[in-house]
């Protein structure tokens, strides 16, 4: 059985990672358009660097939760038949042991060079404008996909959705495209679809089945039902 899992902010929130867009519409006190657009970076790179440097540093104090660990265990059994596509930019899936993870919105622990286009694993700050290890230019930006930019891996994701027997969406609002359209695309190609979310998402009615509650409880129970 081929399974594709989409994860969103809800799974990381249970590890203490602040969710993108809180109820007040702000992200850690910032307007999204001030920190998550190419225009914001061009206008005030130091503000944008400070924001992502703080979030990158904050990863050191969070840990994967039982939902991340359950998905890593599922990969141990399914191997290449499981792909985790995440909207999250933290590295909690990898730290739980998952290796087949596609970060469609980029990664905090990666830097993208605007001069040469190369991506480099990065755990420190970028605000001091360090040189790119590949080309030497001081043009490293956060390797995250901002509003108005194209997500990573869309072709690979579409192929995996089309080939999947089961599509599972975990902890996503169902509000942000293109990810919000994955459920319909997968179902159109014959996959069964399951939502595991704290509350019904905006696209909940598109799923064959939905279970609502904490990811840290729902995901281990679901994995246990597949691979006892
Ligand atoms: Zn470079």
């Amino acid at each position: 059985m081929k399974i594709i899992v989409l994860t969103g902010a809800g799974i990381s929130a249970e590890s203490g990672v602040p969710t993108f867009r809180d109820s007040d519409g702000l992200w850690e006190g910032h307007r999204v358009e001030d920190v998550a657009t190419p225009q914001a970076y061009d206008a005030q790179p130091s503000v944008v660097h400070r924001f992502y440097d703080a979030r990158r540093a904050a990863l050191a104090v969070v840990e994967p939760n039982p939902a991340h660990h359950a998905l890593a265990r599922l990969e141990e059994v399914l191997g290449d038949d499981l792909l985790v596509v995440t909207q999250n930019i933290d590295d909690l899936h990898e730290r739980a042991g998952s290796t087949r993870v596609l970060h469609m919105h980029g990664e905090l622990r990666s830097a993208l060079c605007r001069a040469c286009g190369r991506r480099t694993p990065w755990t420190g700050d970028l605000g001091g404008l360090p040189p790119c290890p590949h080309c030497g230019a001081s043009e490293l930006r956060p390797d995250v996909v901002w509003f108005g930019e194209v997500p990573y891996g869309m072709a690979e994701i579409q192929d995996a959705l089309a080939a999947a027997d089961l599509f599972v969406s975990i902890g996503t609002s169902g509000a942000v495209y293109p990810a919000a359209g994955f459920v319909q695309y997968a179902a159109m190609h014959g996959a069964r679809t399951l939502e595991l979310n704290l509350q019904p998402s905006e696209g909940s009615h598109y799923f064959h089945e939905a279970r609502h509650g904490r990811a840290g409880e729902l995901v281990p129970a679901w994995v246990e039902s597949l691979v006892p």
Side-chain angles (χ1 to χ4, degrees), residues 3-225:
I3 301 178
I4 180 165
V5 170
L6 171 69
T7 66
I11 191 170
S12 293
E14 291 181 23
S15 285
V17 177
T19 57
F20 175 71
R21 281 199 199 252
D22 285 323
S23 51
D24 57 6
L26 299 178
W27 193 9
E28 295 282 275
H30 294 264
R31 295 191 312 158
V32 168
E33 53 269 40
D34 289 340
V35 290
T37 64
Q39 292 77 14
Y41 185 68
D42 286 337
Q44 291 190 296
S46 60
V47 171
V48 174
H49 275 309
R50 199 154 51 235
F51 178 76
Y52 288 96
D53 283 349
R55 292 177 63 82
R56 193 179 303 108
L59 290 182
V61 298
V62 296
E63 296 288 341
N65 64 56
H68 296 104
H69 288 295
L71 291 173
R73 176 168 137 58
L74 187 58
E75 185 190 297
E76 279 176 17
V77 178
L78 293 183
D80 289 350
D81 287 334
L82 174 68
L83 175 66
V84 173
V85 174
T86 186
Q87 298 173 286
N88 300 331
I89 57 178
D90 61 62
D91 58 351
L92 293 175
H93 284 302
E94 287 87 349
R95 282 157 61 188
S98 289
T99 63
R100 290 179 43 75
V101 183
L102 196 162
H103 285 267
M104 62 182 293
H105 291 162
E107 301 174 63
L108 276 171
R109 285 184 163 168
S110 178
L112 173 65
C113 179
R114 297 217 298 179
C116 73
R118 301 282 291 271
R119 307 171 75 185
T120 307
W122 204 270
T123 54
D125 288 348
L126 291 173
L129 306 181
C132 169
H134 300 290
C135 73
S138 289
E139 290 280 352
L140 295 176
R141 56 162 271 187
D143 190 10
V144 297
V145 177
W146 287 324
F147 287 91
E149 297 182 323
V150 179
Y152 283 116
M154 287 307 296
E156 185 183 342
I157 294 169
Q158 284 192 336
D159 287 349
L161 288 168
D165 300 299
L166 177 62
F167 169 72
V168 185
S169 176
I170 300 170
T172 73
S173 67
V176 179
Y177 280 83
F182 290 175
V183 57
Q184 290 162 282
Y185 191 86
M188 194 171 76
H189 288 85
R192 223 186 131 65
T193 58
L194 169 65
E195 170 172 279
L196 304 176
N197 204 35
L198 196 55
Q199 65 257 333
S201 72
E202 288 187 24
S204 210
H205 55 286
Y206 291 122
F207 289 83
H208 293 115
E209 185 187 348
R211 301 175 195 164
H212 299 124
R214 291 173 56 82
E217 290 159 15
L218 291 182
V219 179
W222 168 66
V223 168
E224 183 73 17
S225 74

